[in-house]
Amino acid sequence: AAYSNGDSLCNTIQSEESTCCPSEPADHCTFCEEGIPDLTVVIPEAGGQTCGEIRQSTAGHVNGDGICNAIQSVERQCCPGPADLCVFCKGGIPDLTVVIPEAGGQTCGEIKQSSASFITGDETCNIIQSVERKCCMHMASNLADDLSLRIQMASNFDHGIDCASHNADWSLCYSQLFVFEYAGTEAYTDNNFAIYFSSIHRLLHVDHPDFEHGHVVGDLTYIKPTASFKGFEPSSEIILPVVFEYWSVQESDKMPRFFVVDSR
């Protein structure tokens, strides 16, 4: 700082610059070129070095040499891309304060936060994800995984239903049973969901106190639980008698691909 560019002493000092800070070759060993979120993260596979120390160790090596290849083998752990990060309760966590004994007493919020330090597929991420359902078991995405539907035809005619009272065109309607089978090993008690489906026949009535229906637009219809819904017990089924307009002749009269939507 006491010398200026161009004077003799500065020139002498600068003559040694390449020794202290040699320029990197064009093919220098690259490692987390976009930056490292946390330089202090310890990587066991790198002999306990931190990400910052590993980054420093790339100096003097070029892409393709043996040491550079070894360094780059742990790159994803220091700077994982968004697609690589350990996924935990992607749809959200209803209560971040829930304590999970199997996770050493950590809360769901703490577990979620720690997952960002790991990548999908590694051992620690697998352990974290093993308690995922404890934190977000009440999300509709989990319900969809454990819920299946069977549709049973009841009757086109002589069913004793007053179709006119449901405003059926020509006073014609038919009845079916929607049998929802829940395969989960834990009770699902949340009622913040709706089951959407396409129906070429208008849904007129759901004959169950815990469920109601609605029309969205076109053939899009939904069924959702009411406030009295107590949930799905483990390995149980709920049967909904439903009434549709007109009549049903073939299985193809009922459109496939029912889907569950979280209403939060």
Side-chain angles (χ1 to χ4, degrees), residues 116-131:
S117 300
F118 303 96
I119 59 175
T120 296
D122 71 23
E123 184 177 357
T124 303
C125 180
N126 292 339
I127 293 172
I128 288 172
Q129 291 176 333
S130 69
V131 299

Side-chain angles (χ1 to χ4, degrees), residues 105-106 110 143 147 175 228 236:
Q106 286 184 298
E110 291 169 336
L143 174 60
L147 197 63
S175 60
S228 63
S236 63

Side-chain angles (χ1 to χ4, degrees), residues 8-34:
S8 58
L9 285 175
C10 181
N11 291 339
T12 301
I13 292 171
Q14 289 176 334
S15 68
E16 302 298 330
E17 188 173 19
S18 61
T19 303
C20 294
C21 45
S23 59
E24 291 185 322
D27 59 347
H28 71 277
C29 185
T30 56
F31 186 85
C32 294
E33 293 293 282
E34 300 299 320

Side-chain angles (χ1 to χ4, degrees), residues 52-237:
E53 292 168 336
I54 297 171
R55 175 67 181 270
Q56 285 183 322
S57 71
T58 63
H61 300 285
V62 296
N63 285 323
D65 72 27
I67 293 177
C68 182
N69 289 342
I71 291 171
Q72 291 174 336
S73 69
V74 298
E75 187 172 21
R76 287 179 59 194
Q77 297 183 56
C78 287
C79 48
D84 299 323
L85 292 177
C86 184
V87 177
F88 186 82
C89 291
K90 185 177 181 180
I93 300 175
D95 187 350
L96 293 170
T97 65
V98 171
V99 175
I100 307 300
E102 297 90 334
Q106 286 184 298
T107 65
C108 290
E110 291 169 336
I111 298 171
K112 172 75 172 179
Q113 190 172 29
S114 68
S115 70
S117 300
F118 303 96
I119 59 175
T120 296
D122 71 23
E123 184 177 357
T124 303
C125 180
N126 292 339
I127 293 172
I128 288 172
Q129 291 176 333
S130 69
V131 299
E132 188 172 23
R133 291 175 63 87
K134 301 283 185 180
C135 288
C136 45
M137 63 175 292
H138 289 163
M139 304 302 290
S141 57
N142 289 331
L143 174 60
D145 290 339
D146 291 326
L147 197 63
S148 61
L149 169 65
R150 288 187 293 110
I151 300 176
Q152 297 179 359
M153 184 64 195
S155 179
N156 271 316
F157 309 104
D158 300 326
H159 38 53
I161 299 172
D162 183 2
C163 301
S165 69
H166 298 304
N167 298 315
D169 192 22
W170 297 348
S171 297
L172 291 173
C173 64
Y174 65 95
S175 60
Q176 289 183 328
L177 299 177
F178 280 6
V179 183
F180 290 101
E181 298 177 335
Y182 177 68
T185 57
E186 299 181 31
Y188 188 95
T189 57
D190 189 23
N191 63 1
N192 291 297
F193 69 90
I195 299 172
Y196 285 77
F197 59 99
S198 294
S199 179
I200 60 175
H201 297 144
R202 188 161 56 103
L203 177 58
L204 303 175
H205 180 61
V206 177
D207 192 15
H208 195 292
D210 295 339
F211 287 85
E212 60 187 8
H213 73 282
H215 172 250
V216 183
V217 65
D219 64 359
L220 186 60
T221 304
Y222 66 83
I223 293 173
K224 69 177 184 178
T226 63
S228 63
F229 176 68
K230 301 301 181 184
F232 292 97
E233 292 299 319
S235 302
S236 63
E237 68 176 27

